[in-house]
Amino acid sequence: MGAHEERDLARRQFDVADAAPLLLDAAGVVTSWSSQAQRLLAYPAAEVVGTRLADLVAAEDAWRVPELVERWRRDGGWAGLLSVRRGDGRPVRLMVRICSAEEARGPSRWLALLSELAEATGWDMHRTVLEQMVARSPIGIAVVDTDLRYVWSNAALARFGGGPPQSRLGLRMADVQPGLDSEPVEAQMRHVLATGETVIGYEHVGHVRSAPHRETAQMLSFTRLEDERGHPMGVYYTVVDITAHHRARQRLALLDRAGEQIGRTLDIVRTAQELADVTVPGFADLVVVDLMESVLRGAEPEPEPSAGPAPVRLRRAGRQSADAAVTGTVDVGEDVVYPPGSPPIRCLVTGRSWLEERLDPLAPEWGTDSPEGPVATFRERGLHSVLVVPVRARGVTLGVTTFFRRRHQEPFDADDLHLAEDLVSRAAVCVDNARRYTRERNAALALQRNLLPHRLPEQCAVDVAACYRPADELTGLGGDWYDLIPLSGARVALVVGEVPGHGIDAAAAMGRLRTAVRTLAAQDLPPEEVLGHLDDLVARSAREAGVEPDPVGADSTQAVGSGCVYVIYDPVDGQCTMAAAGHPAPAVVLPDGSVTFIDLPQGAPLGAGGPPFEAVELALVEGSTLALHTDGLLAHGSQWAGDSDRERLRRALERQGGSLDQRCRTVVDTLVPEGPHDDVALLMARTRLLGADQVADWDLPGDPAVVAEARKEATRQLTEWNLQELAFTTELVVSELVTNAIRYADGPVRLRLIKERALICEVYDGGATAPHLRHPRTTDEGGRGLLLVSQVTQRWGTRFAPEGKIIWAEQPLTAPSI
């Protein structure tokens, strides 16, 4: 082969059309200098020929030339980068390729090809190298023409479906991969052809023939190919499999949604339903959550069932389906029965998950509404793959969650099992928190129900309605309370109070105060004395607990700083007596609808110390309505008793219409938002008066002979009231009480009979000593009077008046059976 042919071969192999060639001898001396080399390096041939290549190389690379000469001699060529000094002194970075240019029987010569780096994006490579790069690349690569038909592809593209490169030629993507959603991909190609814009990182999700039941994801990049005139010739694109990344991203997104959507409330059933909702349809087509019945009650979970022969009954707490055809036979809230040994029961017993990639289509489904109920097969339901995961929290199994696939053709795998376990474990903590909350809330509500009256007692003094709204909506507990206490003589005590703070501590302190008030009320004490004793009790309890009285930093656990208003109403004469301790005064709605506020002296809060409490007495017209309330009704948890707050209350109370219960609730709804800052209690009592035909009284002289006359008058009054069956016991009571009053007290005696829900007998005298029961010996001649009274009446007692005392006794209006 001649030198000319070798040079042509070198030109074809190295694509030297744009390179500057020169010849070197075996020692690396320039023997021939081309015009291209002169233009590139600005040296004339006369100045360069005969010069060593090392003399042309810049100082930083000159030391490498002897080593490079040895290398191309040994290897038959070399390619790399060198910095060369131009004729004008400016260094230039060149790509240099050296190959043998020997002639037959001639001296050893080398062809050097120089190309400036600034005009090329990398080494110029011949076609063989380029074909090796694209053909052996692990990345799928293809070229389509302007009609989007394949003209070339590498072997790696076959991994994404469509067959080997030869079978693709002349076909479009939809032809080689039927069923693939190719339209979005071809739309990207058409966009690149039309605009010339390169598209990088386009993601396509679908199914390919190589994995027809598995969703795959690819990342594609598209570049337009152009001829020398810039006209589009086709599109060059690459494909990378990112299925693993796509699935990991889906899992993370599902976990994010689960974190946002599961456990938003402390409701067990809603939490279970949220678990089912968040996993359908993205992860499964049918999800059911079954919990132990004790868990739904908020109780401690029952022991896991043993692997015995009996069916196991759970409660369906959540269910979601992507298809109405696979909803199942058991609704949320109903019992679901699983046969012994079924996968859900095995998971419940062992606490370990279970995966079945392909269900037996003829096997019967597990859960039914009864052991004898109809059972469908998995094929009838269209279910083909299942995961069963126990709902476990804090080492205890609460139930099981079952995931089925129907529309998803891809079966569950180990990665899906791990994801399901993560989802269920998150939900399990929320379910257990909700269970614990339900248990505590049920206990708190039971406490509250026991502390507040279940219903107000029946009596004839007032029509009454109450409304209570706690600030703590989660527990329903607060420190406000109200009460109606029947007193002797047909009177009633109306009480409203509040303990500072909220929650269970305030409720417990409120319960202690309410019990103390009822105990003091049973002593028939006037309002100011009731509050005085209550104040002493709170202060003493605080001292015993080491709490200093401080109304500003009030302590709800000891009830320091509590407020209370205590009202006694007498339906015989309409008199009303009241006192307050750190509490707003009641309002009065008169029968004509006008509203007034009682000028009631404000005593110090309970336990804070201060001057004695003062009482106010007033007469109420029949049909007047007393409105006793806590300060939360007025000022949303801040300062009360402002003029604007009272005006708002006035307008709310002036609204007429509806029953007393409706009016009471309307007032609270009007003045208090849904989430009050403070507990609210409102007690409304519309007054009544006993008729003149229900009360009879007699003034008696202090003469023992009058006892017989008193018995006669009482019997005559009972006849008028048609209560003759009570005559015998009433004569006994009147006789004993009047006799004791005449015997042990000074001054006049007054006898009064009241017919209300019971027959009340009262004897007033001027004495200041309270009588007490005695248990006389058999040899004693007296001392049995009050003992007899206590045995023949329903209850009896003593209350003190300003100038004496009243001994009273009550009998039911029907005669007791003997």
Side-chain angles (χ1 to χ4, degrees), residues 626-654:
L626 280 167
L628 288 71
H629 60 88
T630 56
D631 58 10
L633 184 68
L634 296 182
H636 313 303
S638 60
Q639 184 178 355
W640 50 265
D643 292 339
S644 61
D645 295 328
R646 281 193 167 183
E647 188 58 34
R648 291 172 53 242
L649 177 58
R650 181 195 303 276
R651 290 195 299 268
L653 290 172
E654 286 175 346

PDB file of all heavy atoms in Angstrom, residues 626-654:
ATOM      1  N   LEU A 626     -85.819  33.529  87.225  1.00  0.00           N
ATOM      2  CA  LEU A 626     -84.462  33.783  87.700  1.00  0.00           C
ATOM      3  C   LEU A 626     -83.474  33.143  86.725  1.00  0.00           C
ATOM      4  O   LEU A 626     -83.637  31.981  86.334  1.00  0.00           O
ATOM      5  CB  LEU A 626     -84.262  33.178  89.092  1.00  0.00           C
ATOM      6  CG  LEU A 626     -84.800  33.972  90.287  1.00  0.00           C
ATOM      7  CD1 LEU A 626     -84.808  33.079  91.516  1.00  0.00           C
ATOM      8  CD2 LEU A 626     -83.934  35.199  90.541  1.00  0.00           C
ATOM      9  N   ALA A 627     -82.442  33.893  86.316  1.00  0.00           N
ATOM     10  CA  ALA A 627     -81.401  33.383  85.415  1.00  0.00           C
ATOM     11  C   ALA A 627     -80.081  33.420  86.163  1.00  0.00           C
ATOM     12  O   ALA A 627     -79.468  34.475  86.339  1.00  0.00           O
ATOM     13  CB  ALA A 627     -81.321  34.211  84.133  1.00  0.00           C
ATOM     14  N   LEU A 628     -79.632  32.263  86.633  1.00  0.00           N
ATOM     15  CA  LEU A 628     -78.364  32.128  87.324  1.00  0.00           C
ATOM     16  C   LEU A 628     -77.346  31.585  86.322  1.00  0.00           C
ATOM     17  O   LEU A 628     -77.608  30.585  85.640  1.00  0.00           O
ATOM     18  CB  LEU A 628     -78.468  31.174  88.518  1.00  0.00           C
ATOM     19  CG  LEU A 628     -79.237  31.633  89.765  1.00  0.00           C
ATOM     20  CD1 LEU A 628     -80.737  31.701  89.510  1.00  0.00           C
ATOM     21  CD2 LEU A 628     -78.943  30.691  90.934  1.00  0.00           C
ATOM     22  N   HIS A 629     -76.191  32.214  86.240  1.00  0.00           N
ATOM     23  CA  HIS A 629     -75.226  31.823  85.212  1.00  0.00           C
ATOM     24  C   HIS A 629     -73.809  32.009  85.724  1.00  0.00           C
ATOM     25  O   HIS A 629     -73.551  32.757  86.668  1.00  0.00           O
ATOM     26  CB  HIS A 629     -75.428  32.668  83.949  1.00  0.00           C
ATOM     27  CG  HIS A 629     -75.250  34.136  84.189  1.00  0.00           C
ATOM     28  ND1 HIS A 629     -74.017  34.755  84.090  1.00  0.00           N
ATOM     29  CD2 HIS A 629     -76.138  35.107  84.524  1.00  0.00           C
ATOM     30  CE1 HIS A 629     -74.163  36.051  84.361  1.00  0.00           C
ATOM     31  NE2 HIS A 629     -75.438  36.291  84.628  1.00  0.00           N
ATOM     32  N   THR A 630     -72.883  31.329  85.074  1.00  0.00           N
ATOM     33  CA  THR A 630     -71.462  31.531  85.343  1.00  0.00           C
ATOM     34  C   THR A 630     -70.925  32.620  84.422  1.00  0.00           C
ATOM     35  O   THR A 630     -71.572  33.009  83.443  1.00  0.00           O
ATOM     36  CB  THR A 630     -70.680  30.229  85.139  1.00  0.00           C
ATOM     37  OG1 THR A 630     -70.916  29.743  83.812  1.00  0.00           O
ATOM     38  CG2 THR A 630     -71.134  29.164  86.132  1.00  0.00           C
ATOM     39  N   ASP A 631     -69.703  33.103  84.724  1.00  0.00           N
ATOM     40  CA  ASP A 631     -69.206  34.250  83.955  1.00  0.00           C
ATOM     41  C   ASP A 631     -68.834  33.885  82.520  1.00  0.00           C
ATOM     42  O   ASP A 631     -68.672  34.758  81.679  1.00  0.00           O
ATOM     43  CB  ASP A 631     -68.017  34.902  84.659  1.00  0.00           C
ATOM     44  CG  ASP A 631     -66.861  33.937  84.887  1.00  0.00           C
ATOM     45  OD1 ASP A 631     -66.916  32.821  84.337  1.00  0.00           O
ATOM     46  OD2 ASP A 631     -65.913  34.296  85.602  1.00  0.00           O
ATOM     47  N   GLY A 632     -68.677  32.594  82.217  1.00  0.00           N
ATOM     48  CA  GLY A 632     -68.381  32.218  80.838  1.00  0.00           C
ATOM     49  C   GLY A 632     -69.489  32.584  79.877  1.00  0.00           C
ATOM     50  O   GLY A 632     -69.257  32.685  78.667  1.00  0.00           O
ATOM     51  N   LEU A 633     -70.710  32.800  80.374  1.00  0.00           N
ATOM     52  CA  LEU A 633     -71.818  33.179  79.500  1.00  0.00           C
ATOM     53  C   LEU A 633     -71.654  34.584  78.961  1.00  0.00           C
ATOM     54  O   LEU A 633     -72.183  34.919  77.904  1.00  0.00           O
ATOM     55  CB  LEU A 633     -73.139  33.063  80.272  1.00  0.00           C
ATOM     56  CG  LEU A 633     -74.420  33.331  79.489  1.00  0.00           C
ATOM     57  CD1 LEU A 633     -74.648  32.238  78.455  1.00  0.00           C
ATOM     58  CD2 LEU A 633     -75.610  33.426  80.433  1.00  0.00           C
ATOM     59  N   LEU A 634     -70.875  35.423  79.678  1.00  0.00           N
ATOM     60  CA  LEU A 634     -70.829  36.829  79.317  1.00  0.00           C
ATOM     61  C   LEU A 634     -69.572  37.246  78.575  1.00  0.00           C
ATOM     62  O   LEU A 634     -69.645  37.997  77.616  1.00  0.00           O
ATOM     63  CB  LEU A 634     -70.950  37.696  80.581  1.00  0.00           C
ATOM     64  CG  LEU A 634     -72.271  37.599  81.346  1.00  0.00           C
ATOM     65  CD1 LEU A 634     -72.249  38.556  82.525  1.00  0.00           C
ATOM     66  CD2 LEU A 634     -73.440  37.938  80.432  1.00  0.00           C
ATOM     67  N   ALA A 635     -68.421  36.792  79.030  1.00  0.00           N
ATOM     68  CA  ALA A 635     -67.207  37.464  78.569  1.00  0.00           C
ATOM     69  C   ALA A 635     -66.188  36.539  77.931  1.00  0.00           C
ATOM     70  O   ALA A 635     -65.026  36.871  77.846  1.00  0.00           O
ATOM     71  CB  ALA A 635     -66.561  38.201  79.736  1.00  0.00           C
ATOM     72  N   HIS A 636     -66.585  35.377  77.474  1.00  0.00           N
ATOM     73  CA  HIS A 636     -65.689  34.482  76.741  1.00  0.00           C
ATOM     74  C   HIS A 636     -64.405  34.216  77.522  1.00  0.00           C
ATOM     75  O   HIS A 636     -63.313  34.209  76.976  1.00  0.00           O
ATOM     76  CB  HIS A 636     -65.333  35.047  75.369  1.00  0.00           C
ATOM     77  CG  HIS A 636     -66.525  35.541  74.619  1.00  0.00           C
ATOM     78  ND1 HIS A 636     -67.616  34.735  74.341  1.00  0.00           N
ATOM     79  CD2 HIS A 636     -66.823  36.763  74.119  1.00  0.00           C
ATOM     80  CE1 HIS A 636     -68.514  35.451  73.674  1.00  0.00           C
ATOM     81  NE2 HIS A 636     -68.066  36.663  73.539  1.00  0.00           N
ATOM     82  N   GLY A 637     -64.516  34.017  78.797  1.00  0.00           N
ATOM     83  CA  GLY A 637     -63.363  33.622  79.585  1.00  0.00           C
ATOM     84  C   GLY A 637     -62.556  34.781  80.122  1.00  0.00           C
ATOM     85  O   GLY A 637     -61.522  34.590  80.735  1.00  0.00           O
ATOM     86  N   SER A 638     -62.973  36.028  79.936  1.00  0.00           N
ATOM     87  CA  SER A 638     -62.212  37.139  80.474  1.00  0.00           C
ATOM     88  C   SER A 638     -63.023  37.802  81.589  1.00  0.00           C
ATOM     89  O   SER A 638     -63.777  37.164  82.294  1.00  0.00           O
ATOM     90  CB  SER A 638     -61.868  38.131  79.359  1.00  0.00           C
ATOM     91  OG  SER A 638     -63.055  38.635  78.764  1.00  0.00           O
ATOM     92  N   GLN A 639     -62.905  39.089  81.727  1.00  0.00           N
ATOM     93  CA  GLN A 639     -63.568  39.800  82.815  1.00  0.00           C
ATOM     94  C   GLN A 639     -65.070  39.885  82.571  1.00  0.00           C
ATOM     95  O   GLN A 639     -65.527  40.080  81.463  1.00  0.00           O
ATOM     96  CB  GLN A 639     -62.970  41.212  82.913  1.00  0.00           C
ATOM     97  CG  GLN A 639     -63.508  42.026  84.088  1.00  0.00           C
ATOM     98  CD  GLN A 639     -62.831  43.380  84.139  1.00  0.00           C
ATOM     99  OE1 GLN A 639     -61.922  43.615  83.359  1.00  0.00           O
ATOM    100  NE2 GLN A 639     -63.251  44.227  85.037  1.00  0.00           N
ATOM    101  N   TRP A 640     -65.856  39.670  83.633  1.00  0.00           N
ATOM    102  CA  TRP A 640     -67.301  39.700  83.477  1.00  0.00           C
ATOM    103  C   TRP A 640     -67.894  40.930  84.138  1.00  0.00           C
ATOM    104  O   TRP A 640     -67.208  41.703  84.765  1.00  0.00           O
ATOM    105  CB  TRP A 640     -67.940  38.432  84.049  1.00  0.00           C
ATOM    106  CG  TRP A 640     -67.525  38.058  85.443  1.00  0.00           C
ATOM    107  CD1 TRP A 640     -66.543  37.199  85.795  1.00  0.00           C
ATOM    108  CD2 TRP A 640     -68.083  38.548  86.666  1.00  0.00           C
ATOM    109  NE1 TRP A 640     -66.441  37.102  87.143  1.00  0.00           N
ATOM    110  CE2 TRP A 640     -67.383  37.917  87.709  1.00  0.00           C
ATOM    111  CE3 TRP A 640     -69.096  39.445  86.977  1.00  0.00           C
ATOM    112  CZ2 TRP A 640     -67.663  38.158  89.045  1.00  0.00           C
ATOM    113  CZ3 TRP A 640     -69.383  39.683  88.302  1.00  0.00           C
ATOM    114  CH2 TRP A 640     -68.670  39.055  89.330  1.00  0.00           C
ATOM    115  N   ALA A 641     -69.187  41.035  84.022  1.00  0.00           N
ATOM    116  CA  ALA A 641     -69.977  42.100  84.668  1.00  0.00           C
ATOM    117  C   ALA A 641     -69.803  43.450  83.990  1.00  0.00           C
ATOM    118  O   ALA A 641     -70.099  44.476  84.582  1.00  0.00           O
ATOM    119  CB  ALA A 641     -69.662  42.222  86.153  1.00  0.00           C
ATOM    120  N   GLY A 642     -69.303  43.496  82.776  1.00  0.00           N
ATOM    121  CA  GLY A 642     -69.261  44.759  82.068  1.00  0.00           C
ATOM    122  C   GLY A 642     -70.644  45.150  81.576  1.00  0.00           C
ATOM    123  O   GLY A 642     -71.526  44.320  81.381  1.00  0.00           O
ATOM    124  N   ASP A 643     -70.842  46.463  81.348  1.00  0.00           N
ATOM    125  CA  ASP A 643     -72.151  46.937  80.906  1.00  0.00           C
ATOM    126  C   ASP A 643     -72.522  46.333  79.556  1.00  0.00           C
ATOM    127  O   ASP A 643     -73.680  45.947  79.323  1.00  0.00           O
ATOM    128  CB  ASP A 643     -72.131  48.467  80.804  1.00  0.00           C
ATOM    129  CG  ASP A 643     -72.018  49.116  82.185  1.00  0.00           C
ATOM    130  OD1 ASP A 643     -72.348  48.432  83.185  1.00  0.00           O
ATOM    131  OD2 ASP A 643     -71.590  50.270  82.254  1.00  0.00           O
ATOM    132  N   SER A 644     -71.550  46.235  78.647  1.00  0.00           N
ATOM    133  CA  SER A 644     -71.871  45.679  77.328  1.00  0.00           C
ATOM    134  C   SER A 644     -72.249  44.208  77.438  1.00  0.00           C
ATOM    135  O   SER A 644     -73.140  43.734  76.727  1.00  0.00           O
ATOM    136  CB  SER A 644     -70.674  45.859  76.391  1.00  0.00           C
ATOM    137  OG  SER A 644     -69.540  45.176  76.904  1.00  0.00           O
ATOM    138  N   ASP A 645     -71.573  43.472  78.322  1.00  0.00           N
ATOM    139  CA  ASP A 645     -71.909  42.056  78.498  1.00  0.00           C
ATOM    140  C   ASP A 645     -73.316  41.909  79.060  1.00  0.00           C
ATOM    141  O   ASP A 645     -74.097  41.051  78.609  1.00  0.00           O
ATOM    142  CB  ASP A 645     -70.909  41.383  79.437  1.00  0.00           C
ATOM    143  CG  ASP A 645     -69.510  41.345  78.849  1.00  0.00           C
ATOM    144  OD1 ASP A 645     -69.408  41.257  77.610  1.00  0.00           O
ATOM    145  OD2 ASP A 645     -68.539  41.414  79.608  1.00  0.00           O
ATOM    146  N   ARG A 646     -73.659  42.730  80.049  1.00  0.00           N
ATOM    147  CA  ARG A 646     -75.009  42.662  80.610  1.00  0.00           C
ATOM    148  C   ARG A 646     -76.063  43.049  79.576  1.00  0.00           C
ATOM    149  O   ARG A 646     -77.158  42.480  79.558  1.00  0.00           O
ATOM    150  CB  ARG A 646     -75.115  43.577  81.835  1.00  0.00           C
ATOM    151  CG  ARG A 646     -74.509  42.966  83.097  1.00  0.00           C
ATOM    152  CD  ARG A 646     -74.908  43.760  84.319  1.00  0.00           C
ATOM    153  NE  ARG A 646     -74.594  43.035  85.544  1.00  0.00           N
ATOM    154  CZ  ARG A 646     -74.897  43.474  86.756  1.00  0.00           C
ATOM    155  NH1 ARG A 646     -75.511  44.645  86.885  1.00  0.00           N
ATOM    156  NH2 ARG A 646     -74.587  42.770  87.824  1.00  0.00           N
ATOM    157  N   GLU A 647     -75.719  43.972  78.715  1.00  0.00           N
ATOM    158  CA  GLU A 647     -76.680  44.375  77.691  1.00  0.00           C
ATOM    159  C   GLU A 647     -76.915  43.230  76.706  1.00  0.00           C
ATOM    160  O   GLU A 647     -78.043  43.000  76.254  1.00  0.00           O
ATOM    161  CB  GLU A 647     -76.165  45.616  76.961  1.00  0.00           C
ATOM    162  CG  GLU A 647     -77.180  46.232  75.999  1.00  0.00           C
ATOM    163  CD  GLU A 647     -78.479  46.625  76.697  1.00  0.00           C
ATOM    164  OE1 GLU A 647     -78.431  47.038  77.888  1.00  0.00           O
ATOM    165  OE2 GLU A 647     -79.545  46.514  76.060  1.00  0.00           O
ATOM    166  N   ARG A 648     -75.855  42.522  76.355  1.00  0.00           N
ATOM    167  CA  ARG A 648     -76.016  41.358  75.480  1.00  0.00           C
ATOM    168  C   ARG A 648     -76.891  40.307  76.145  1.00  0.00           C
ATOM    169  O   ARG A 648     -77.759  39.701  75.508  1.00  0.00           O
ATOM    170  CB  ARG A 648     -74.648  40.761  75.149  1.00  0.00           C
ATOM    171  CG  ARG A 648     -73.805  41.646  74.247  1.00  0.00           C
ATOM    172  CD  ARG A 648     -72.376  41.135  74.084  1.00  0.00           C
ATOM    173  NE  ARG A 648     -72.359  39.753  73.658  1.00  0.00           N
ATOM    174  CZ  ARG A 648     -71.832  38.759  74.373  1.00  0.00           C
ATOM    175  NH1 ARG A 648     -71.324  39.004  75.567  1.00  0.00           N
ATOM    176  NH2 ARG A 648     -71.836  37.529  73.910  1.00  0.00           N
ATOM    177  N   LEU A 649     -76.657  40.089  77.449  1.00  0.00           N
ATOM    178  CA  LEU A 649     -77.465  39.113  78.172  1.00  0.00           C
ATOM    179  C   LEU A 649     -78.913  39.578  78.257  1.00  0.00           C
ATOM    180  O   LEU A 649     -79.844  38.774  78.118  1.00  0.00           O
ATOM    181  CB  LEU A 649     -76.881  38.899  79.572  1.00  0.00           C
ATOM    182  CG  LEU A 649     -77.661  37.953  80.485  1.00  0.00           C
ATOM    183  CD1 LEU A 649     -77.793  36.577  79.861  1.00  0.00           C
ATOM    184  CD2 LEU A 649     -76.990  37.858  81.854  1.00  0.00           C
ATOM    185  N   ARG A 650     -79.108  40.871  78.452  1.00  0.00           N
ATOM    186  CA  ARG A 650     -80.474  41.396  78.538  1.00  0.00           C
ATOM    187  C   ARG A 650     -81.229  41.123  77.241  1.00  0.00           C
ATOM    188  O   ARG A 650     -82.370  40.645  77.252  1.00  0.00           O
ATOM    189  CB  ARG A 650     -80.444  42.897  78.833  1.00  0.00           C
ATOM    190  CG  ARG A 650     -81.844  43.537  78.977  1.00  0.00           C
ATOM    191  CD  ARG A 650     -81.750  45.055  78.890  1.00  0.00           C
ATOM    192  NE  ARG A 650     -80.842  45.585  79.891  1.00  0.00           N
ATOM    193  CZ  ARG A 650     -81.198  45.832  81.154  1.00  0.00           C
ATOM    194  NH1 ARG A 650     -82.441  45.587  81.547  1.00  0.00           N
ATOM    195  NH2 ARG A 650     -80.321  46.322  82.000  1.00  0.00           N
ATOM    196  N   ARG A 651     -80.592  41.416  76.119  1.00  0.00           N
ATOM    197  CA  ARG A 651     -81.273  41.222  74.847  1.00  0.00           C
ATOM    198  C   ARG A 651     -81.591  39.749  74.613  1.00  0.00           C
ATOM    199  O   ARG A 651     -82.641  39.404  74.071  1.00  0.00           O
ATOM    200  CB  ARG A 651     -80.408  41.771  73.703  1.00  0.00           C
ATOM    201  CG  ARG A 651     -80.297  43.278  73.685  1.00  0.00           C
ATOM    202  CD  ARG A 651     -79.760  43.767  72.340  1.00  0.00           C
ATOM    203  NE  ARG A 651     -78.435  43.232  72.081  1.00  0.00           N
ATOM    204  CZ  ARG A 651     -77.300  43.853  72.412  1.00  0.00           C
ATOM    205  NH1 ARG A 651     -77.356  45.044  73.025  1.00  0.00           N
ATOM    206  NH2 ARG A 651     -76.134  43.320  72.148  1.00  0.00           N
ATOM    207  N   ALA A 652     -80.658  38.869  75.017  1.00  0.00           N
ATOM    208  CA  ALA A 652     -80.905  37.438  74.827  1.00  0.00           C
ATOM    209  C   ALA A 652     -82.049  36.956  75.700  1.00  0.00           C
ATOM    210  O   ALA A 652     -82.874  36.136  75.278  1.00  0.00           O
ATOM    211  CB  ALA A 652     -79.631  36.655  75.135  1.00  0.00           C
ATOM    212  N   LEU A 653     -82.144  37.469  76.954  1.00  0.00           N
ATOM    213  CA  LEU A 653     -83.203  37.022  77.867  1.00  0.00           C
ATOM    214  C   LEU A 653     -84.562  37.602  77.490  1.00  0.00           C
ATOM    215  O   LEU A 653     -85.601  37.026  77.829  1.00  0.00           O
ATOM    216  CB  LEU A 653     -82.852  37.422  79.307  1.00  0.00           C
ATOM    217  CG  LEU A 653     -81.682  36.665  79.954  1.00  0.00           C
ATOM    218  CD1 LEU A 653     -81.327  37.288  81.299  1.00  0.00           C
ATOM    219  CD2 LEU A 653     -82.026  35.187  80.124  1.00  0.00           C
ATOM    220  N   GLU A 654     -84.560  38.733  76.821  1.00  0.00           N
ATOM    221  CA  GLU A 654     -85.833  39.354  76.455  1.00  0.00           C
ATOM    222  C   GLU A 654     -86.545  38.631  75.321  1.00  0.00           C
ATOM    223  O   GLU A 654     -87.724  38.857  75.086  1.00  0.00           O
ATOM    224  CB  GLU A 654     -85.599  40.810  76.057  1.00  0.00           C
ATOM    225  CG  GLU A 654     -85.317  41.720  77.255  1.00  0.00           C
ATOM    226  CD  GLU A 654     -84.973  43.135  76.832  1.00  0.00           C
ATOM    227  OE1 GLU A 654     -84.697  43.331  75.617  1.00  0.00           O
ATOM    228  OE2 GLU A 654     -84.972  44.036  77.687  1.00  0.00           O
TER     229      GLU A 654
END
